[in-house]
Amino acid sequence: MAELAIYPGSFDPLTNGHVDIIERGLRVFDRIVVAVALNVRKKGALFSVEERLDQIKRQFPEDEVEVDTFHGLLVDYARSRGCNVVLRGLRAVSDFEYELQMANMNRNLAPDIETVFVMAGENHFYISSTLVKEVARFGEDISEFVPAHVLDPLNEKLEAIDDEG
Ligand code: PNS
C-alpha cells in the first residue's frame, strides 16, 4: 500500500471541500502532497501561488501534508516525487466525466500511476472554488464553505476587484 499520495489542483482558493478530501485521504495515506498546478488552462487566478500554498500550509500539520507546485504534466511530477498514487475528490455526477477523462489520460501516459478517488462528504457536494468566489462576489456569506483563514482575504480580494471595476 502506498504511503504517499499526490493531491493536485488549482486551489484558488482552498475550500472546505478540498479540506474534506485531504482529511479523508489521510485516513488511507500517511502523507499527502498537495500540489498546486502552475499551468492549468484556467485563466485569471484570484490568489497568487504563494497565497494558495500558505492557505494549505496553515490548515494541516506539516508532517501529514506537504505543499508543492508543479509545471507540466502531473504524471511527470508524480514520477519525480517517486509517487504512484494521485488522489482526487468526486462530488456530484457532473465531476465524473472530467475526472474519468483525466484519469484515463494519465493512465495512458503512465500505467504505473493509479488515480484514487474519494467521495466528498455530503455537506461538500456542491462546493467548488469557482462557485464560492461567485457567491462571495455578490455579498453572500460563504463562511461555511472556506476555512476561517481564507474568508477575510477572499472577501478583501473580491472587494478590491469590485472597486477597480
Ligand atoms: O483544480 P482542478 O482544476 O480540478 O485541477 C486540475 C488539474 C490541475 C489536476 C489538472 O488540470 C492537471 O493535472 N493539470 C496538469 C497537466 C496535466 O497533467 N494534464 C494531463 C492530465 S488530463
Side-chain angles (χ1 to χ4, degrees), residues 8-11 37 40 42 70 72-74 88 98 102 105-106:
S10 318
F11 306 103
V40 282
K42 292 177 187 174
F70 72 100
L73 289 178
L74 173 61
R88 290 288 289 174
Y98 172 60
M102 280 204 297
M105 179 57 81
N106 286 334

Side-chain angles (χ1 to χ4, degrees), residues 11 14 34 36 52-60 67:
F11 306 103
L14 179 73
V34 180
V36 177
R52 286 181 260 163
L53 293 172
D54 187 59
Q55 289 169 2
I56 302 159
K57 264 195 233 166
R58 286 180 64 175
Q59 185 69 32
F60 298 100
V67 298

Side-chain angles (χ1 to χ4, degrees), residues 131-142 154-155 158 162:
L131 273 189
V132 163
K133 282 183 282 194
E134 190 170 305
V135 170
R137 194 158 184 187
F138 291 106
E140 291 298 324
D141 175 18
I142 47 137
L154 176 55
N155 283 325
L158 291 170
D162 279 347

